[in-house]
Amino acid sequence: MKRIFAFTLVLALCAALCSCGAINIEDTNGDDPSLCSLTEEDIVSGYPGSTIFGSSNSTSKSGTVFKAKKMSGVYTLDTFKPSSKDDVIVLAVTPELRSGNLRVVLLGNGELITDFPIGEASTIRLEDPECEYELVLAAESAELSVQYRATEIPSNNN
């Protein structure tokens, strides 16, 4: 009997310790997909990190698709930098939201460059060869998918 109690106690403690790092930010604004709790400062700093459940990431010739059943926090999905000063990156992004709140942004050297509208396909040229670009997701209890493709081309090729 003491062994069963000790085992149950240890199991409960392990479960409690494992869940301490989990972040869950509630969606408190109903059908409005804009963020409630996370701020632009949080997004730029990467704070508070993220918790993602049921995620998949698949890459094919047409690009990469990231899906999450539930995500809360700030997550850098990918980073980009032209391989030479003579190249640019054409980044196409299509974020979709099924529930919760989501903001998809592009940072350049830690500064906000642009937001990608939810439910719309967007394309942007990343032309600064000295800049490190980050595609960042900020989510609050979100079920989401983001399709993106980064294509590097010579800068003189429009």
Side-chain angles (χ1 to χ4, degrees):
M1 184 70 159
K2 287 183 180 180
R3 283 185 177 174
I4 293 173
F5 178 72
F7 178 73
T8 304
L9 183 61
V10 167
L11 191 61
L13 285 172
C14 287
L17 289 175
C18 289
S19 68
C20 287
I23 299 167
N24 183 35
I25 304 170
E26 291 297 321
D27 171 10
T28 59
N29 61 351
D31 291 336
D32 182 353
S34 58
L35 298 176
C36 299
S37 302
L38 294 171
T39 65
E40 193 167 303
E41 290 175 8
D42 296 333
I43 295 168
V44 170
S45 71
Y47 177 82
S50 63
T51 299
I52 304 169
F53 295 102
S55 68
S56 66
N57 199 2
S58 60
T59 302
S60 67
K61 291 180 183 179
S62 60
T64 301
V65 178
F66 173 80
K67 294 181 181 181
K69 289 286 185 188
K70 186 170 184 182
M71 177 182 160
S72 286
V74 179
Y75 177 68
T76 298
L77 185 57
D78 210 337
T79 59
F80 313 97
K81 186 171 183 167
S83 59
S84 80
K85 64 181 174 90
D86 298 323
D87 292 340
V88 299
I89 296 173
V90 177
L91 178 63
V93 179
T94 306
E96 298 289 339
L97 180 65
R98 288 173 188 73
S99 64
N101 304 326
L102 177 65
R103 187 171 175 194
V104 180
V105 301
L106 182 70
L107 302 180
N109 289 338
E111 294 184 20
L112 183 70
I113 294 177
T114 192
D115 277 78
F116 294 101
I118 306 301
E120 296 180 26
S122 302
T123 303
I124 187 170
R125 289 173 59 98
L126 312 179
E127 298 183 352
D128 185 350
E130 302 300 316
C131 189
E132 172 123 358
Y133 299 96
E134 296 175 75
L135 182 59
V136 177
L137 310 179
E140 298 166 343
S141 297
E143 182 177 352
L144 62 96
S145 80
V146 178
Q147 181 176 355
Y148 66 98
R149 181 177 182 166
T151 306
E152 191 164 2
I153 60 172
S155 60
N156 60 0
N157 185 3
N158 295 323

